[in-house]
Amino acid sequence: MGMLGMVLVVGCTDPEHDADVVEPDAAVVGTGDTVFTTGQDPTNPFFQVLGTNDRTCASCHDVASGWSVTPAALQARFDASSGLDPVFRTVDGATSPAADDTSLAARRTAYALLLSRGVFRIGLPVPDGADFAVSAIDDPYGYASVDELSLYRRPLPSTNLRFARTLMWDGREPTLASQATDATLGHAQAMRAPAEAIVGPIVAFESSLYTAQAVDAEAGDLADGATGGPAALATQPATVPRGFTLYGTWATSDNARRRAIAHGEQLFNGRRFQIRGAIGLPDQEGTCATCHDAPNVGAHTTPLFVNLGIADAARRQPTVPLYTVTQLADGRTTRTTDPGLALTTGKFADVGRFKVPTLRGLAMRPPYFHDGSAAALDDVVRLYDRRFGIRLSPPDQRDLVAFLQAL
Ligand code: HEC
Ligand code: HEC
């Protein structure tokens, strides 16, 4: 009980005003774990160098970071290797492929966004036949063009993939096989597409993984009299009930942190608010579980892409490009740091829409949202509270965060 309060101090930065994301100490919250349903296989091609730049899939999808990467882990790798670890490659690790990375000081600048926010540069064109044009580009790195927009995005976790109804933040990959092929050609800079004998085992391996928070520093074993942790997730049926039903039994626990987690789960499923102007979802009264409805997983049960305003011009940091997007039919414009789904569908109406992601193992992999703009889960909850006028009391905000930290 001596740790009471420690979990409350994480994440004190306001992402809207602070360029450098300060990361909470994940170990304070507890630890996560992965179940390998077909065994841990360190020889799987997922862990092998498949291209020309020494990277593996695990360079950016690390078991210790919930199969994503965190700024803290990246900073440690940078310091240990003087910025030469394979994750630091200009192709997509740097702010621009043209960035100078020939000295240590130059590498600190080139990889500044990766080190502070854990984001990689995804280069994507405006698709042929789009009903919009990118009419202006304000890129601090002077690289982005209509043929290749620079979009800085967090690695989605390569785990719990049984529950993914669409792949990538913008839904652009139809299958895990196409995803693995494109990741090898892009991130790993392979000269040719990997053979089926490589792709098949990668897909089988990543599809066998289940990851969740396992131990909470104060609540203890998350599967003790409850159904948190990765083992229960591995057998989770993708059927009703909707929302989360992990911690109901803890509502009357003697342990205050367990009660907080149980109450946070109730808030997530049951606290109603007006969901308005979230393009992609009709206006309605709902809860967190309206969008994050996949039982005990938090993705959406169908492919759902929603605009929460994360990429809006008003939230833009000067360290990322800003794009002016013009609808061809009527000249309407909008400005965004990332058109999201619109680059997959070619539709102006889809600008700023991103997929509803899974919510397990969150504490292992800050920062949050596609652009890493929320340093900690407190910032996520505060953003929703403002965005939808939920008016959560400070104790309710803390309990909701405690629940998210126990996923
Ligand atoms: C240089 C870093 C990097 C490397 C290397 C990398 N990835 Fe990723 N991965 C990312 C990023 C960033 C995203 C999200 C990009 C987006 O949505 O536009 C992602 C997304 C994914 C997703 C989508 C998950 C979901 O829920 O939609 C899967 C699966 C994945 N990667 C698997 C792999 C595999 C397999 C490999 C190796 C062949 C690999 N990645 C190599 C950075 C990387
Ligand atoms: C209108 C649909 C919608 C509602 C309601 C909603 N979310 Fe989300 N959530 C999303 C989408 C879409 C994203 C990804 C947005 C992005 O990155 O641009 C997201 C992202 C998140 C993330 C970050 C996940 C990650 O890996 O970065 C967390 C945590 C989260 N939501 C928790 C909540 C909580 C808590 C509530 C209730 C207060 C809530 N959500 C309500 C759609 C929704």
Side-chain angles (χ1 to χ4, degrees):
M1 284 295 106
M3 300 179 96
L4 188 69
M6 292 178 72
V7 290
L8 306 182
V9 301
V10 297
C12 42
T13 49
D14 183 341
E16 263 133 37
H17 299 110
D18 197 329
D20 277 352
V21 168
V22 177
E23 200 175 329
D25 181 357
V28 170
V29 173
T31 50
D33 204 1
T34 290
V35 167
F36 298 80
T37 52
T38 55
Q40 163 61 299
D41 174 14
T43 67
N44 187 278
F46 189 94
F47 301 102
Q48 290 170 14
V49 172
L50 303 174
T52 58
N53 62 12
D54 290 336
R55 281 176 170 169
T56 72
C57 303
S59 300
C60 306
H61 299 283
D62 182 13
V63 60
S65 301
W67 301 95
S68 181
V69 283
T70 64
L74 289 160
Q75 284 160 22
R77 274 148 83 177
F78 190 94
D79 291 343
S81 69
S82 303
L84 297 171
D85 181 283
V87 79
F88 304 107
R89 294 289 181 258
T90 52
V91 56
D92 60 4
T95 49
S96 151
D100 174 18
D101 72 340
T102 53
S103 71
L104 180 60
R107 287 193 286 280
R108 274 198 201 289
T109 304
Y111 298 109
L113 273 183
L114 181 56
L115 291 167
S116 61
R117 292 194 165 209
V119 288
F120 291 88
R121 194 192 64 88
I122 308 294
L124 292 175
V126 175
D128 289 342
D131 70 3
F132 63 86
V134 171
S135 48
I137 297 176
D138 173 6
D139 178 6
Y141 312 107
Y143 184 82
S145 69
V146 292
D147 298 323
E148 188 176 340
L149 277 60
S150 288
L151 311 159
Y152 299 90
R153 297 182 181 170
R154 295 277 297 136
L156 283 154
S158 61
T159 184
N160 301 332
L161 291 169
R162 173 156 70 85
F163 308 109
R165 289 289 165 269
T166 177
L167 294 172
M168 316 309 265
W169 286 109
D170 53 15
R172 71 183 180 281
E173 290 290 355
T175 64
L176 286 171
S178 71
Q179 194 285 328
T181 300
D182 288 342
T184 304
L185 290 167
H187 301 306
Q189 295 178 283
M191 309 298 277
R192 66 185 85 80
E196 169 56 27
I198 300 285
V199 172
I202 288 179
V203 171
F205 174 76
E206 62 186 358
S207 302
S208 76
L209 307 174
Y210 292 89
T211 305
Q213 198 70 358
V215 176
D216 182 273
E218 288 177 51
D221 182 351
L222 293 167
D224 177 25
T227 47
L233 182 59
T235 57
Q236 172 67 43
T239 52
V240 286
R242 297 280 166 96
F244 285 85
T245 51
L246 303 174
Y247 299 116
T249 51
W250 282 3
T252 55
S253 169
D254 295 339
N255 178 309
R257 173 79 172 168
R258 289 188 177 188
R259 287 198 306 277
I261 290 170
H263 184 230
E265 182 176 76
Q266 284 173 13
L267 292 169
F268 188 96
N269 294 330
R271 177 62 182 260
R272 304 192 74 78
F273 52 89
Q274 294 299 324
I275 303 173
R276 287 222 180 84
I279 296 164
L281 192 79
D283 287 356
Q284 60 191 281
E285 192 186 69
T287 69
C288 301
T290 301
C291 293
H292 299 282
D293 76 342
N296 293 329
V297 175
H300 196 264
T301 41
T302 60
L304 177 63
F305 297 84
V306 176
N307 184 344
L308 294 179
I310 307 295
D312 281 3
R315 296 184 79 248
R316 183 229 185 166
Q317 299 276 344
T319 49
V320 297
L322 186 66
Y323 302 98
T324 305
V325 181
T326 303
Q327 179 159 263
L328 297 177
D330 60 5
R332 257 178 69 207
T333 67
T334 185
R335 294 184 309 148
T336 181
T337 54
D338 190 334
L341 180 65
L343 292 178
T344 304
T345 61
K347 291 202 168 70
F348 182 81
D350 293 337
V351 170
R353 291 176 68 186
F354 294 88
K355 85 157 166 174
V356 179
T358 59
L359 298 181
R360 299 306 298 264
L362 286 168
M364 305 172 72
R365 50 180 171 86
Y368 306 100
F369 293 126
H370 69 269
D371 59 354
S373 59
L377 292 165
D378 310 48
D379 302 302
V380 172
V381 168
R382 224 175 304 139
L383 182 138
Y384 277 114
D385 194 60
R386 275 199 297 246
R387 171 70 176 79
F388 293 121
I390 309 177
R391 294 169 180 260
L392 290 162
S393 66
D396 282 357
Q397 291 199 21
R398 285 198 293 271
D399 290 355
L400 186 50
V401 169
F403 166 65
L404 296 173
Q405 287 172 334
L407 288 179

